[in-house]
Amino acid sequence: MKRAWLTMNSSDKWGALHGLVPLLFLCVVIPYWSHVKNGWGNLGLRMQTLWERMFDTIGDDQFNLYVYGLNGWTFVLYWSIGLAFLLAETCARPKWLLRYKVQPKLITTVLFNQFFVMLPFSIVSHYILEYQGTLPPIRELPTFQRFLVVFFILISTQEVVGYYTHRLFHHRLIYKWTHKLHHQWTAPIALSAYYNRPLDHLIVNLMPATIGLPLTNAHFFTSWLWLTWATLRTLSDHSGYHVLSFPSPRRRDFHHLKFTECYGVWGPLDYLHGTETLFRASKSSSKTN
C-alpha cells in the first residue's frame, strides 16, 4: 500500500485524502479542545436562546418537525440548488434540448421518490424512534463535542453503507431491475441525483444517508445540518461543477461513464477494494497529455 501511495501523483493523493478530512479535523481540534470548548460555550448560549425562540414561534411538535420540517427543507434545497445548476447548464450550452429531452420523466420520477418513498420512510422511522422513546429533547441543543462525534459517525456510516449497497445494486442479477434507470444519465446533472427506481432510491440513496441518525440518537439540530450537507453533496456530485466546498464531481462522472468504478462517496473503500484504478489511470493520463 505504501508503494501504491508513492506512485500516485499529487492530485490523486489529494483526492484520497478527502475521505480523511473529518478525521484530520478532529486531530487538529482535540489538542486545542479547551479553547474550542470555551469559545463554543459562549456561542452555544446565544444559539440556545435563538433556538428556543424559534420553537416558541413555530411550535415544537416532533412529528411535524422531523417529518414535514426536514422533508420540506430538503425538498426546497434539492430543487432550488438543482434548478440553479440546470440554469447554468442551459445558459452555457445552446444544444441543451437534445440532452434534456427526458426532463419531464426526470421530474416525475424525482417527485415520486420524494413524496412516495422519502416521506413514508420518514413517517415510519419517526414512529419507531418515538415508540422506543429515544428522541433527544428537541429544545436543548447538543454539546459541540457530541455534535462533532455524531457528524463523524454519520460520514463514516454513509461511506460504508453507501459503498456496499451501491456496489450490490450494480450486480448483474439485479442491476437491470434496480439501478440501471439511474445510469441512463451517462453525463448526469444535479437533478438526476434522485432519478432512481423506488427500491433503488430507498436502499442506495436514503439508507446510507440516514442509517447513522438512529444509531447515534442524533439530535434534531444535528439531523437538520446533516441532511442539508448530504443533499448538497449529492447535488454537487451529480452536477459536473466543482463550485461547492466538496470534492470534485469527477469521481461520480467517471462512475456514470464506466459503471464499474467509484462506488463510494468519499473514496477510501474504492481505494481499499481496487475499484478506482481506471479512474486514477485516467487522471494520470489526462494530466500527462
Side-chain angles (χ1 to χ4, degrees), residues 12-264:
D12 290 332
K13 291 179 179 178
W14 177 247
L17 285 173
H18 264 115
L20 299 176
V21 167
L23 180 60
L24 294 174
F25 176 74
L26 289 178
C27 290
V28 172
V29 167
I30 289 174
Y32 301 97
W33 177 247
S34 60
H35 301 288
V36 173
K37 187 175 182 180
N38 292 334
W40 177 258
N42 297 329
L43 176 62
L45 291 175
R46 293 193 292 270
M47 290 179 61
Q48 180 65 49
T49 300
L50 294 174
W51 188 251
E52 291 182 359
R53 287 179 182 174
M54 181 184 72
F55 288 122
D56 289 338
T57 302
I58 66 175
D60 56 4
D61 183 272
Q62 293 197 350
F63 179 85
N64 290 335
L65 290 169
Y66 275 97
V67 176
Y68 298 125
L70 291 180
N71 277 285
W73 169 252
T74 54
F75 180 89
V76 171
L77 193 66
Y78 183 91
W79 285 101
S80 59
I81 302 299
L83 288 173
F85 275 122
L86 181 61
L87 178 63
E89 191 82 18
T90 56
C91 291
R93 300 183 183 180
K95 296 181 179 180
W96 63 278
L97 282 174
L98 293 176
R99 181 176 174 183
Y100 301 116
K101 61 183 179 181
V102 296
Q103 185 178 337
K105 184 181 179 182
L106 180 146
I107 293 174
T108 56
T109 300
V110 172
L111 287 175
F112 182 90
N113 284 331
Q114 289 178 320
F115 282 100
F116 296 102
V117 179
M118 294 176 68
L119 190 59
F121 176 76
S122 299
I123 293 173
V124 172
S125 300
H126 177 76
Y127 276 127
I128 292 175
L129 293 176
E130 193 174 52
Y131 176 78
Q132 293 175 340
T134 58
L135 289 173
I138 202 165
R139 283 180 172 264
E140 183 180 347
L141 285 171
T143 64
F144 183 54
Q145 182 178 11
R146 178 169 176 78
F147 173 80
L148 285 179
V149 171
V150 169
F151 218 83
F152 176 75
I153 294 174
L154 292 173
I155 291 174
S156 302
T157 55
Q158 183 191 39
E159 173 67 19
V160 173
V161 179
Y163 178 88
Y164 292 111
T165 56
H166 192 182
R167 190 168 181 180
L168 172 66
F169 273 56
H170 272 268
H171 192 279
R172 59 184 178 84
L173 295 180
I174 60 175
Y175 174 75
K176 179 180 179 181
W177 314 106
T178 55
H179 200 58
K180 185 177 181 179
L181 178 69
H182 182 71
H183 277 276
Q184 287 183 356
W185 292 82
T186 55
I189 60 173
L191 288 176
S192 67
Y194 290 171
Y195 186 71
N196 305 74
R197 297 189 185 280
L199 180 63
D200 185 29
H201 183 58
L202 176 65
I203 303 299
V204 178
N205 290 344
L206 290 184
M207 278 189 57
T210 60
I211 195 170
L213 296 175
L215 292 177
T216 58
N217 198 26
H219 190 275
F220 175 77
F221 177 77
T222 308
S223 301
W224 169 52
L225 289 183
W226 166 252
L227 292 176
T228 298
W229 185 91
T231 302
L232 291 175
R233 174 64 197 269
T234 193
L235 288 168
S236 174
D237 282 350
H238 289 83
S239 71
Y241 291 95
H242 193 190
V243 295
L244 300 176
S245 299
F246 296 113
S248 170
R250 290 178 181 176
R251 293 180 59 87
R252 188 63 55 181
D253 284 345
F254 193 82
H255 173 73
H256 277 259
L257 180 65
K258 298 296 185 182
F259 299 173
T260 57
E261 290 220 344
C262 302
Y263 297 105

